[in-house]
Amino acid sequence: MKTNKIFKGCAALALATTLTGCGDDFLKQDPLSFYEPTTTYGSESGLQAALAQCDKQLKTYRIDGNWNNVGIATNYYLTDVGMYAKTDMGGGFQDNFDAKLTPTSGLEGGGDGNYMMRFWNEGYNMVKYANTILNYIDDVEGLSDEVRDAYKGRAYFHRAYAYYNLVLQFGDIPLVTKLIASPKRNYSSTSKEAIFKMLVHDLEFAVSHVPPQSQMQYVGQVNQEGCMHLLVKCYLAVGEYAKAEQVASELINSHGLQLMTEPFGTWQPSGNEETWKVTRNVVWDLHRTPNIADPANKETIMMISNSNDQDFATYNVMRACLAHWSNSVIRDPHGLATPGNTIARNNGNYNPELDWVRVAGRGIALNRTSYFFNKTIWMYDGETDWQDLRHNREIGNWMEMEDFKYNNPASECYGQNFQLYATEDYVGEDGTVLVHAGDLLCSDTIRSWYPTPLYQVYILDTPNENNMGADQFQGASGVGANGDMYLFRLAETYLLRAEARLYQGNAAGAAEDVNAVRRRANAKKMFTTVNIGDIMAERARELYLEEFRQAEMVRVSWCLARSGVPDEWGNTYSLDNWDKQEGTDLNGGSYWFRRCTTYNVFNQPYGKGAQGSQTFEYKVNKHNLFWPVPNSAITANNQGVLRQNYGYDGYSDTIPMFTNWEDAVADEE
């Protein structure tokens, strides 16, 4: 099956003068170009160009070609699973969110920092592109009702995907559904509840009118299955649990989809197999980028194309998320540092058994995983499950730091495995003890010492693989690499149905869905009943760097407050205050806050530490559940008043907002 490479010429024409970043102008919903819009979008080719930009925006929302960052990592910094780890950034705001995340600071960034403001900008850009299609579609002549409604449905999907994430990141926000002839600066905010009800309305239309993938020539465009999957999520958010279960079941059973259980597709080893051998297995194959769009992959619901030379974006996930192992902070047991640079294949000192850079990249540890992700969720009844394919070192899917070997030719420990602590004294020639037994051999354990699910983050770095002099491997680092991504995968559908069943009191049925995912992974333990903690842990195991983790934690927090179902500790939550609590003490707060402070270092005594001259304090406030609405957006709306989120400067419960999406839409006229 072909990936979505269609309409590139049209897209280039229509998008040659795409709007600048949103910032102060995000409320100005101009068309996509300065061409006469009724001419540009008065034909089906113009609509196709706009739709191609919408499809591309799904990728832009996650990555933007930044050398040191992948945008989605920002959605892991305030979670149970990840934390900001780039310790050479001077203790940037990404550790103490309580003190530093405000409407006027902390949001800006990108680069080596964060993408919070970028999610706001690119989210509203996605809304803009979808609104362009919806604004002009009814004026395009020659379209049958069936074709017209399919275009509308795809545009609704893109707008719904944008608002799904915007709301779960930023809370009560302006609802923009139209293109305005002149800037509108008197918007009011619309409630989370109202926006999600609109998303349900729009996605129900999309499910009814967008064709299934089996009737489409290309992958990477919006299909019926993708609309169904997103609708399931929205049904959960608004409390329509029976409908969520019904649609999820239809998606699982009636669309030719299935969990992959055997190896398939293109085989790609991890770098030099003499260094680190991967025994071929289904989980490894499932996450090789050429296999995401492979017709043999029946698990792909909807994917994002990033392998077309004309439209490629750098996806250096290995650089951004793997441990910063190739630096001087890791010493061998004799005190000698590991090489500052790795050794290229055309170097006379090259050793194919120690070619770690092709296996694990040259990581800079922008986002590192938590102890919970690294250790706790793989333990049952006091034993670690090493047979789970997602946590299996023997077959090569999972790597611990102790699996690396010292590759400094000058080291007496050359070829021996890394160790975190010295096991004995090392005495120099003059009798001085250079290393004491028990000494820590890694001086920055935040950034340079943590394991990784290699199967999730390894991408064949084709340009550097073809360069014998390369000594840094990053992931999809340039044209010629395949950086395709999953948007939705069937494994998540099972876990969403598990939630729907749990909220309806069917914990045994929920366990069956969790077990379906675990059985494919060859996990040791199967469940007879589950709680929400079990489902969230399984999401972490299965969907690392696929899901927007904080957004999903917020959605689940909302679902628990609405349903009254207790969490794994027996706590229940109320719709009255689940999103309106303040403080850093460990009592109370939303389910998101409880998970962050129970399963990660936030607000704990051991959440403080120093690396060199820098001090880090990992803290979150209960109100950091939602990020602040950017002050630049509030001030740009100078003829109206937008609501700020609870706990941030400018919040007031007296500021009115729309609680009915139809009223918000009518106000745009």
Side-chain angles (χ1 to χ4, degrees), residues 18 70 84 158 161 206 297 318 325 490 543 554 614-615:
T18 300
V70 289
Y84 187 75
H158 283 292
Y161 184 81
N297 187 350
M318 294 171 68
W325 62 271
L490 192 65
L543 300 170
V554 172
Q614 301 180 53
T615 300

Side-chain angles (χ1 to χ4, degrees), residues 299-405:
E299 192 163 332
T300 300
I301 293 175
M302 189 172 164
M303 55 82 69
I304 300 172
S305 176
N306 189 35
S307 54
N308 176 26
D309 292 353
Q310 296 178 342
D311 215 17
F312 178 84
T314 297
Y315 184 28
N316 287 323
V317 64
M318 294 171 68
R319 179 177 176 85
C321 295
L322 282 164
H324 192 30
W325 62 271
S326 61
N327 58 16
S328 59
V329 303
I330 297 177
R331 299 180 297 153
D332 70 19
H334 296 173
L336 187 67
T338 54
N341 293 309
T342 52
I343 299 172
R345 284 166 287 168
N346 60 3
N347 186 295
N349 291 321
Y350 175 74
N351 183 343
E353 295 182 358
L354 300 175
D355 189 3
W356 294 104
V357 70
R358 285 167 71 204
V359 174
R362 192 270 191 192
I364 61 172
L366 192 79
N367 172 69
R368 66 154 290 162
T369 43
S370 65
Y371 186 88
F372 166 71
F373 180 84
N374 297 335
K375 303 291 185 183
T376 308
I377 61 173
W378 307 104
M379 296 186 67
Y380 310 97
D381 304 321
E383 295 185 1
T384 299
D385 183 359
W386 291 109
Q387 84 174 31
D388 190 314
L389 294 177
R390 301 164 300 186
H391 189 238
N392 193 312
R393 296 165 75 185
E394 289 188 7
I395 65 172
N397 284 357
W398 182 275
M399 287 184 66
E400 296 282 335
M401 292 305 298
E402 290 84 356
D403 293 319
F404 284 88
K405 295 180 180 179

